Amino acid sequence: MLLKELRLQTMQLSALSHFYADILELPVTKEDDAISIKTGNSQIIFEETKSKDPFYHFAFNIPANKFEEALQWTQKKVKLLWLDDYNGYVADFTNWHAKSFYFLDPAGNILEFIARFDLNDEEHEPFLAAHIRNISEIGLVFSSESFDSNVDKLFKQYPLCYFDKQPPLPHFRAVGSDEGLFIIVPENRTWFSTRNTMSEIFPMKILFEVNKNPYELDL
């Protein structure tokens, strides 16, 4: 699965524009009430909202052989999230054959840079923002009462499958592939990488591809 576009909401449009353009050095296009952030062959669009301040979890793929460089590059720019489970800043997902680290943007979005070693993606120049490949994950949050039925609905509406490296758990489902994943959790579950940030439901629209066929998910 390829995640082509995320359309999310924020009350912190100006701060996010500065963060992604000046701190992470990504291409940012400004509109009156939205910004578009380009990452390789995908983009994130933040639209301004006046409702409760939304936040999301999303990840970006980075070249596998540039993980340590990316870690150092990012650490000079932002404060990384300490991971109690790993007693450090780096999560080593051995079953996924991947490593990642996490940080927050000014709106409280939980960002992740992840190197997936089975993608065989390598870069031979020093790590730059241009090497942030694409959107790798987006977190989907459903109500606890309808969690299973909402996941089942996704499988009925779209040609999706569970991630072959992660068996489904009662309160955690990974759907897709190394190229792109839906990370699906119930409401009020603590987001991994944080100590007390609980998952909440906020509006989003996702454009994605499966076997080169385009689909749209509006939540």
Side-chain angles (χ1 to χ4, degrees), residues 7-212:
R7 191 172 289 268
L8 312 176
Q9 296 187 355
T10 185
M11 292 180 68
Q12 312 291 333
L13 198 63
S14 178
L16 291 186
S17 178
H18 166 69
F19 179 81
Y20 286 96
D22 301 329
I23 307 299
L24 292 190
E25 303 175 29
L26 293 169
V28 174
T29 302
K30 300 179 183 179
E31 301 176 11
D32 290 340
D33 56 356
I35 59 171
S36 175
I37 304 156
K38 186 76 172 174
T39 58
N41 60 0
S42 61
Q43 67 175 344
I44 297 178
I45 298 171
F46 282 105
E47 299 176 331
E48 192 167 32
T49 182
K50 303 298 183 184
S51 60
K52 182 180 178 182
D53 207 357
F55 69 92
Y56 306 85
H57 164 58
F58 46 89
F60 299 101
N61 279 333
I62 57 173
N65 68 326
K66 292 296 175 179
F67 181 80
E68 293 299 331
E69 284 186 34
L71 179 67
Q72 294 171 15
W73 181 88
T74 309
Q75 207 162 17
K76 293 176 182 177
K77 297 172 174 292
V78 299
K79 182 179 180 180
L80 301 184
L81 296 179
W82 181 264
L83 307 176
D84 290 337
D85 290 354
Y86 293 92
N87 194 32
Y89 294 114
V90 175
D92 187 356
F93 301 118
T94 54
N95 290 344
W96 290 24
H97 204 202
K99 288 184 178 181
S100 68
F101 57 88
Y102 300 77
F103 54 100
L104 302 178
D105 72 12
N109 295 303
I110 304 164
L111 278 66
E112 175 185 359
F113 283 177
I114 184 165
R116 301 180 186 276
F117 300 101
D118 290 337
L119 287 178
N120 297 315
D121 177 16
E122 296 190 352
E123 183 60 55
H124 302 293
E125 297 179 358
F127 183 80
L128 301 169
H131 299 150
I132 300 171
R133 297 304 200 200
N134 59 286
I135 303 166
S136 174
E137 299 175 2
I138 176 63
L140 309 186
V141 183
F142 295 131
S143 70
S144 299
E145 295 78 10
S146 59
F147 181 71
D148 288 323
S149 62
N150 276 315
V151 174
D152 290 342
K153 186 185 299 183
L154 283 180
F155 284 111
K156 292 177 181 177
Q157 290 181 334
Y158 305 100
L160 297 170
C161 60
Y162 282 119
F163 187 32
D164 59 8
K165 297 173 183 175
Q166 177 60 59
L169 301 174
H171 301 106
F172 182 88
R173 313 287 171 86
V175 173
S177 64
D178 279 313
E179 288 85 359
L181 289 171
F182 294 151
I183 301 298
I184 311 175
V185 300
E187 195 175 12
N188 297 319
R189 182 183 189 271
T190 302
W191 279 116
F192 177 76
S193 79
T194 75
R195 288 192 171 96
N196 53 18
T197 301
M198 310 300 285
S199 56
E200 298 184 46
I201 299 171
F202 296 108
M204 70 173 73
K205 182 180 291 185
I206 306 168
L207 303 182
F208 64 101
E209 291 182 2
V210 179
N211 297 324
K212 298 185 178 180

